[in-house]
């Protein structure tokens, strides 16, 4: 008896070797019919005796890069197919998922360094299991003509592979070889730098890097600026030319063992580093084996492993050909390369050859270019693993804890946390828990990411960047256009941040023929965690960051909200502190210290400032001026930002008095906190509506400790503990008043692992259910998901 079924597979099923897999499976079961890519996903018809077996094996044996979200099976009448075939893609005008870019696979890696392979040392080797995807896809379905590979005509050999179902490159859209595919080219900025035109450009690049030069290297989603990380002079030159801040550089190492030489690497971190998504993983430095200039005064360092064939060639290109044997890799050319984003002054990543030469000439001495166009720029992703302290508690047998820790909300041992979700992860959608209309969340201005929703999916964009220049706005528009067309999203509403000066807000307000809704910054933070978990009921939101525009026009950032998707009530906040000079105070946190001390000590402020050497360090005149503008409430916007409190405390302790990049002072303060301290400082909760948390006592006690010469690591730990305890006390009170047990911790301040872990432990101990981000960053890059979730729900409610 012949039976026939039609199967619709939805999910990430295009560009991941799905059709060849279906083809071989059907053939092996002697089934007839066809498979094709449609804009809905993959459509299959099978006819024969083994349909059931086919349906069982399909989800079990699907290719590693695919992500099946849904399989629909429709019984059909007998047709009489003669063979099993792969049909041309059809476009049905609906929606499919595009794969993110993936690192080179083991098979391609082996061929890359196999002297007898026709792709030996070919920097664009790829197959259906690996290579570029999102960054080269212009539209769907994902077929070669819709990618930037369309300009390369395959040679006979490649063509054969492409059409042979048994081949690893069957329908590999970016398939290429040295005969027919893209090529690299090395250019120097000035004639003075001699290169041998006859040599392989990669080999010459390695020589330049070894000589200490800086080379702009075109990668997968954009350019990197590279130098030899072990060359102190080169690192310092790059820092001097590229940025005027202490922001750490990302590093690339040839393999895991080399990373382990420099950093402590846990098993989870190992898995992340070697995953095909190849993010930058933040790791703790072992000892000072690398120049300080790589990540100044920072206990962490971001490492990634090579993810393109070209990266691997930089490390393993055989400089001395006699040493190469067929089956062993040559010795690595570098232990680590600095691979920092190829951009200037916080502009978007450079992706075009001419753009690179024009914009990066002030930084790079040479350019390693290639002629495969990047369509979508995507920065490297940055992630870290939450430490395993909680797991230890579990391991040592606190049964009560272990019960709590098993629920997903409490898996804080070894769970993934995003700092930046971009290459390798975008455009993977985030599954929402129900269906809804198409909407757009525009995000905020720092670390902008926008989010589109479609059906039951949210699609966060790649990292767009700080919306402080025209180029970033253009990149925002370009990515939005692209994601809207690739996913066929037609937003009926958009949400923006209340901040009137945000470029993203101004852009949103200019849009026509669309419903526009402003969402308060910290409310959006809370809703973003709710979106990840499909929550809709009221929660206690602890939303801590540097700055977000409040409904009273002040700068919020230490907020306790009773929130759901309909709205929120501000139930508590950190006490307002004037920021003398506004933006200047954000860059120079010692000004915030002056403000904190004025608030805590009143007329005695000067004597406290003297005891901290502030008068000697910053000058009596300047301090007096600052006190004056604080008292007259001039140029001193009020802030309840927890991030600003960290800034002020960091400068008070003499840890860091300048923010050359966002979060620097706070990171430095966390870095010195010693573990194992249980003490707190006193802190007041003013019982009014909303509750107000006053750190005056904390500040005075800290100064006392400092003057007594107490250990700064202990003082920092005690400050962290104080904040964590006060969060617990406020939450406990709000939980009691509002009968809510669900607590959301969100905002950039919770990137502080010491604070986050301690707060989660404290809240668990008073029986709260704690929710934090796992799928998008907790910093402002997570805002747009929350915005989108709120208006999507409101539209559904109104319909
Ligand atoms: Zn491959
Ligand atoms: Zn070819």
């Amino acid at each position: 008896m012949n039976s026939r079924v039609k199967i619709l597979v939805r999910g990430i099923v295009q560009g991941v070797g799905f059709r060849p897999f279906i083809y071989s499976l059907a053939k092996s079961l002697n089934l007839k019919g066809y498979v094709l890519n449609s804009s809905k996903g993959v459509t299959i018809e099978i006819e024969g005796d083994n349909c059931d077996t086919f349906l069982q094996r399909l989800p079990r044996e699907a290719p590693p890069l695919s992500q099946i979200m849904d399989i629909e099976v429709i019984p059909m009448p007998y047709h009489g197919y003669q063979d099993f075939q792969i049909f041309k893609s059809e476009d049905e005008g609906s929606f499919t998922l595009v794969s993110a870019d993936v690192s080179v696979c083991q098979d391609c890696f082996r061929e890359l360094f196999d002297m007898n392979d026709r792709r030996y040392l070919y920097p664009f080797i790829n197959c259906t299991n690996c290579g570029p995807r999102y960054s080269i896809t212009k539209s769907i379905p994902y077929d070669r003509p819709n990618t930037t590979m369309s300009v390369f005509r395959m040679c006979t050999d490649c063509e054969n592979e492409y059409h042979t179902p048994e081949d690893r490159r069957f329908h590999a859209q970016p398939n290429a070889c040295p005969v027919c595919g893209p090529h690299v080219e090395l250019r120097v900025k000035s004639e003075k730098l001699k290169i041998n035109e006859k040599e392989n450009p990669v080999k010459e690049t390695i020589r330049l890097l070894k000589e200490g030069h800086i080379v702009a290297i075109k990668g997968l989603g954009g350019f990197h600026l590279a130098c030899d990380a072990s060359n102190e002079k080169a690192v310092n030159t790059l820092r001097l030319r590229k940025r005027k801040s202490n922001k750490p550089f990302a590093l690339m190492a040839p393999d895991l063992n080399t990373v382990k030489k420099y950093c402590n690497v846990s098993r989870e971190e190992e898995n992340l580093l070697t995953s095909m998504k190849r993010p930058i993983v933040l790791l703790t430095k072992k000892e000072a084996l690398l120049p300080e200039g790589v990540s100044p005064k920072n206990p962490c360092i971001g490492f990634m492993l090579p993810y393109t064939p070209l990266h691997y060639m930089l490390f393993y290109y055989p400089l001395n050909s006699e040493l190469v044997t067929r089956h062993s890799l040559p010795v690595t050319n570098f232990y680590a390369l600095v691979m920092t984003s190829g951009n200037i002054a916080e502009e978007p990543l450079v992706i075009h050859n001419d753009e690179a030469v024009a914009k990066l000439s002030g930084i790079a001495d040479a350019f390693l270019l290639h002629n495969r166009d990047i369509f979508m720029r995507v920065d490297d992703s940055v992630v870290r693993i939450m430490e395993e302290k909680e797991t230890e508690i579990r391991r040592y047998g606190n049964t009560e804890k272990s019960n709590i820790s098993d629920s997903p909300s409490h898996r804080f041992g070894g769970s993934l946390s995003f700092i930046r979700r971009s290459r390798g992860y975008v455009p993977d959608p985030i599954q929402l828990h129900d269906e809804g209309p198409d909407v757009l969340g525009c995000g905020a201005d720092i670390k902008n990411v926008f989010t589109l929703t479609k059906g039951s999916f949210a699609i966060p964009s790649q990292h767009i960047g700080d919306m402080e220049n025209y180029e970033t706005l253009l990149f925002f528009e370009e990515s939005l256009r692209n994601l809207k067309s690739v996913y066929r999203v037609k937003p009926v509403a958009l949400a923006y941040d209340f901040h009137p000066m945000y470029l993203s807000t101004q852009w949103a307000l200019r849009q026509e023929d669309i419903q526009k809704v402003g969402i308060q910054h910290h409310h959006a933070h809370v809703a973003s965690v709710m979106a990840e978990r499909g929550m809709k009921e009221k929660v206690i939101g602890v939303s801590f960051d540097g700055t977000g525009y409040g409904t009273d026009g002040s700068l919020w950032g230490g907020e306790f909200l009773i929130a759901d998707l309909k709205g929120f009530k501000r139930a508590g906040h950190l006490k307002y502190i004037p920021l003398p000079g506004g933006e200047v105070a954000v860059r120079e946190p010692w000004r915030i210290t002056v403000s904190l001390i004025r608030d805590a000590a009143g007329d005695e402020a000067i004597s406290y400032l003297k005891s901290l050497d502030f008068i000697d360090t910053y000058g009596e005149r300047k301090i007096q001026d600052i006190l004056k503008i604080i008292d007259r409430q001039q140029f001193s916007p009020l802030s309840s930002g927890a991030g600003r409190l960290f800034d002020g405390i960091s400068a008070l302790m003499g840890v860091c008095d300048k923010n050359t990049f966002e979060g620097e002072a706070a990171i430095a303060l966390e870095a010195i906190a010693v573990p194992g301290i249980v003490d707190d400082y006193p802190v007041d909760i003013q019982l009014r509506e909303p509750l107000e948390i006053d750190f005056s006592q904390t500040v005075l006690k800290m100064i006392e400790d400092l003057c007594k010469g107490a250990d700064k690591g202990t003082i920092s730990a005690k400050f962290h503990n104080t904040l964590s305890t006060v969060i617990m006390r406020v939450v406990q009170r709000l939980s009691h008043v509002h009968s809510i047990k669900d607590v959301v911790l969100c905002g950039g301040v919770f990137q502080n692992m010491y604070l986050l872990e301690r707060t989660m432990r404290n809240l668990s101990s008073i029986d709260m259910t704690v929710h934090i981000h796992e799928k998008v960053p907790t910093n402002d890059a997570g805002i747009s998901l929350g915005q989108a979730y709120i208006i999507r729900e409101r539209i559904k409610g109104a319909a």
Side-chain angles (χ1 to χ4, degrees):
M1 239 297 282
N2 273 333
S3 63
R4 173 181 169 219
V5 288
K6 185 172 186 161
I7 308 160
L8 303 172
V9 189
R10 278 180 280 263
I12 298 170
V13 288
Q14 293 189 9
V16 292
F18 208 79
R19 287 177 302 173
F21 154 70
I22 294 296
Y23 178 89
S24 348
L25 185 61
K27 281 274 187 189
S28 72
L29 293 170
N30 198 26
L31 292 161
K32 318 282 188 216
Y34 68 87
V35 55
L36 60 81
N37 273 348
S38 68
S39 49
K40 281 188 186 130
V42 164
T43 305
I44 307 159
E45 274 196 38
I46 43 170
E47 196 167 70
D49 293 331
N50 297 317
C51 289
D52 287 346
T53 318
F54 181 92
L55 285 169
Q56 278 159 19
R57 287 176 58 182
L58 168 65
R60 268 209 316 261
E61 296 170 22
L65 293 183
S66 63
Q67 286 178 40
I68 296 177
M69 288 174 178
D70 178 49
I71 299 178
E72 191 183 340
V73 183
I74 310 154
M76 305 282 280
Y78 178 73
H79 181 276
Y81 287 111
Q82 293 304 304
D83 201 357
F84 195 90
Q85 282 180 292
I86 296 179
F87 285 165
K88 210 170 139 3
S89 300
E90 59 181 36
D91 188 344
E92 294 164 13
S94 89
F95 165 67
T96 188
L97 302 175
V98 179
S99 164
D101 301 289
V102 270
S103 75
V104 58
C105 73
Q106 289 295 320
D107 292 327
C108 287
F109 176 78
R110 207 175 317 110
E111 289 170 357
L112 180 63
F113 293 103
D114 177 355
M115 282 171 95
N116 300 315
D117 194 274
R118 68 187 191 94
R119 292 187 180 85
Y120 177 56
L121 299 179
Y122 179 57
F124 302 92
I125 185 169
N126 68 81
C127 72
T128 43
N129 299 321
C130 73
R133 295 292 186 273
Y134 176 57
S135 59
I136 60 161
T137 305
K138 295 191 204 168
S139 62
I140 50 165
Y142 172 71
D143 271 336
R144 193 167 174 110
N146 291 338
T147 71
T148 60
M149 282 300 291
S150 61
V151 293
F152 299 98
R153 220 194 132 127
M154 276 185 276
C155 66
T156 328
D157 285 344
C158 287
E159 189 85 29
N160 279 342
E161 292 165 340
Y162 186 87
H163 290 294
T164 307
E166 291 75 24
D167 197 283
R168 207 171 84 243
R169 298 198 166 85
F170 177 64
H171 285 235
Q173 307 305 345
N175 191 23
C177 78
V179 176
C180 64
H183 281 277
V184 289
E185 174 199 347
L186 181 63
R187 270 189 230 168
V188 281
K189 185 170 67 184
S190 102
E191 299 282 308
K192 277 184 234 146
L193 201 57
K194 294 271 176 285
I195 49 168
N196 184 350
E197 303 281 348
K198 290 196 189 81
E199 262 301 352
N200 183 301
V202 178
K203 192 173 173 186
E204 282 295 283
T205 303
I206 294 166
R207 184 176 62 78
L208 293 181
L209 288 168
K210 277 181 174 288
E211 286 169 5
H213 296 290
I214 295 162
V215 186
I217 298 174
K218 189 172 178 182
L220 193 58
F223 273 81
H224 282 121
L225 286 159
C227 73
D228 180 352
S230 63
N231 183 331
E232 188 163 7
K233 199 160 157 254
V235 171
N236 291 342
T237 307
L238 177 55
R239 185 162 289 283
L240 206 68
R241 291 185 193 168
K242 164 131 201 246
R243 48 173 65 129
K244 285 145 192 73
S245 79
N246 297 325
K247 203 168 167 186
F249 285 138
L251 300 182
M252 186 180 273
D255 56 27
L256 201 55
N257 282 335
T258 312
V259 179
K260 285 178 177 170
K261 264 181 41 183
Y262 299 114
C263 297
N264 299 309
V265 186
S266 71
R267 189 131 44 82
E268 281 90 353
E269 286 162 346
E270 214 173 290
N271 291 341
L272 264 177
L273 280 165
T274 53
S275 83
M276 293 198 80
K277 296 180 178 296
R278 287 288 203 276
I280 295 170
V281 183
L282 289 192
L283 302 165
T284 326
K285 284 182 198 168
K286 260 186 183 161
E287 52 204 291
L289 291 171
L290 288 162
E292 176 69 9
V294 170
S295 67
K297 292 187 230 156
N298 202 312
C300 290
I301 202 162
F303 258 107
M304 60 184 151
L305 294 182
Y307 52 89
T308 69
L310 182 59
H311 294 154
Y312 274 114
M313 284 170 65
L314 290 171
F315 288 105
Y316 293 121
Y317 192 99
L319 298 182
N320 202 338
S321 48
E322 303 95 78
L323 293 177
V324 187
T325 57
R326 214 191 131 189
H327 291 293
S328 71
L329 277 178
V331 190
T332 182
N333 298 316
F334 305 96
Y335 288 113
L337 288 173
V338 169
M339 290 290 253
T340 185
S341 307
N343 58 4
I344 45 164
E346 305 306 316
E347 280 186 12
L349 207 55
V350 167
I351 55 170
H352 301 296
N353 293 347
D354 297 344
E355 191 189 4
V357 175
K359 288 197 165 172
L360 303 178
S361 282
I363 307 173
D365 302 308
F367 302 85
L368 184 60
L369 310 170
H370 64 69
N371 58 344
R372 184 180 73 198
D373 282 345
I374 297 168
F375 183 68
M376 265 293 105
R377 61 191 95 215
V378 254
D379 285 74
D380 295 317
S381 292
V382 185
V383 300
R384 75 164 152 194
I385 292 289
M386 277 183 76
E387 285 174 38
E388 295 209 59
K389 287 181 189 136
E390 199 59 18
T391 322
E392 276 164 31
I393 294 171
R394 214 184 310 168
R395 212 176 290 143
Y396 297 121
N398 181 334
T399 42
E400 200 180 277
K401 268 267 157 50
S402 76
N403 283 338
I404 299 166
S405 302
D406 283 343
S407 91
S409 324
H410 290 274
R411 269 191 295 111
F412 40 114
S415 72
L416 173 68
S417 120
F418 282 99
I419 313 283
R420 176 193 291 169
R421 183 183 180 275
S422 218
R423 178 191 46 78
Y425 296 92
V426 173
D428 286 1
I430 289 170
Q431 188 94 51
L432 297 174
H433 293 70
D434 57 358
E435 295 284 320
D438 293 11
V439 300
L440 164 67
C442 297
D445 267 18
I446 305 293
K447 303 185 171 67
N448 180 276
V449 162
F450 63 82
T451 295
L452 289 163
T453 68
K454 168 110 190 168
S456 63
F457 295 121
I459 305 130
S461 74
Q462 67 266 50
H463 167 75
I464 303 291
D466 294 349
M467 299 272 266
E468 54 190 30
N469 48 52
Y470 182 61
E471 284 72 18
T472 313
L473 186 65
L474 288 182
F475 176 35
F476 174 95
E477 290 184 322
E478 170 189 283
S479 311
L480 179 61
R481 219 170 18 246
N482 180 248
L483 275 175
K484 265 162 71 175
S485 92
V486 164
Y487 282 98
R488 298 197 159 104
V489 184
K490 292 198 183 70
V492 294
L494 64 78
Y496 57 90
D497 195 278
F498 272 149
H499 203 308
M501 299 308 285
Y502 273 1
L503 273 184
S504 55
T505 302
Q506 292 168 359
W507 178 89
L509 293 172
R510 281 200 303 275
Q511 304 310 301
E512 287 167 6
D513 304 319
I514 186 163
Q515 191 185 337
K516 289 163 268 192
V517 185
I519 310 281
Q520 201 278 325
H521 192 93
H522 303 95
H523 184 206
H525 268 306
V526 176
S528 184
V529 175
M530 295 172 74
E532 282 191 14
R533 302 180 169 275
M535 297 165 73
K536 290 180 183 174
E537 301 304 315
K538 278 201 167 67
V539 299
I540 301 168
V542 185
S543 199
F544 277 22
D545 63 3
T547 299
Y549 197 77
T551 49
D552 59 358
S554 297
L555 304 173
W556 292 10
E559 311 305 312
F560 293 84
L561 310 179
I562 303 295
D564 59 14
L565 302 179
K566 294 188 204 84
F568 72 93
K569 178 174 161 266
R570 193 187 196 198
H573 62 85
L574 306 193
K575 186 181 175 186
Y576 283 130
I577 294 294
L579 299 183
E583 275 304 308
V584 187
V586 177
R587 286 196 300 275
E588 298 180 11
W590 62 272
R591 291 165 180 265
I592 301 174
T593 316
V594 176
S595 194
L596 283 169
I597 293 177
R598 177 57 141 202
D599 184 66
D603 290 342
E604 285 173 57
I606 284 286
S607 73
Y608 279 96
L609 287 164
K610 268 198 186 116
S611 70
L612 292 173
D613 285 340
F614 264 48
I615 309 292
D616 289 346
T617 311
Y618 304 104
E620 177 141 23
R621 203 44 208 285
K622 214 162 177 184
I623 299 273
Q624 289 292 0
D625 285 349
I626 289 171
L627 287 171
K628 234 174 264 165
I629 63 167
I630 291 171
D631 293 346
R632 291 188 195 148
Q633 298 172 11
Q634 289 170 318
F635 315 109
S636 300
L638 293 176
S639 160
S640 60
R644 298 291 87 86
L645 176 67
F646 267 93
D647 284 350
I649 297 295
S650 188
L652 181 146
M653 290 179 55
V655 173
C656 176
D657 67 349
K658 276 197 190 69
N659 272 325
T660 65
F661 65 94
E662 203 209 6
E664 183 175 2
I667 290 170
L669 187 61
E670 179 191 358
I672 63 160
V674 291
I677 306 290
V678 289
D679 295 346
D680 282 20
Y681 285 114
V683 59
D684 296 318
I685 301 173
Q686 307 285 341
L687 299 181
R688 51 176 78 138
E689 274 279 311
L691 298 169
E692 194 182 82
I693 299 150
D694 184 344
F695 287 92
S696 304
Q697 294 300 314
T698 318
V699 168
L700 297 181
K701 272 282 178 202
M702 286 179 81
I703 298 175
E704 206 182 300
D705 273 1
L706 281 166
C707 292
K708 275 193 283 194
D711 171 56
K712 284 190 179 181
T714 309
I715 301 178
S716 169
K718 280 171 74 179
F719 168 71
H720 281 82
N721 295 351
T722 309
L723 196 53
S724 167
T725 305
V726 84
I727 291 172
M728 175 177 72
R729 282 168 58 197
V730 172
V731 166
Q732 190 161 31
R733 174 170 270 279
L734 296 176
S735 168
H736 188 71
V737 174
H738 299 271
S739 308
I740 301 171
K741 290 268 179 208
D742 287 300
V743 185
V744 164
L745 301 179
C746 54
V749 167
F750 286 106
Q751 289 179 137
N752 182 317
M753 288 289 158
Y754 186 107
L755 179 70
L756 179 63
E757 285 171 358
R758 194 171 178 93
T759 307
M760 289 181 79
R761 259 199 302 280
N762 282 344
L763 292 173
S764 298
S765 75
I766 57 162
D767 249 1
M768 296 294 138
T769 309
V770 187
H771 307 274
I772 59 169
H773 275 295
E774 284 178 350
K775 294 172 182 164
V776 299
T778 196
N779 57 42
D780 280 6
I783 289 266
S784 60
L785 176 62
Q787 292 174 336
Y789 193 53
I790 292 173
I791 50 162
R792 181 176 178 271
E793 197 62 18
R794 287 194 191 162
I795 291 170
K796 284 199 310 193

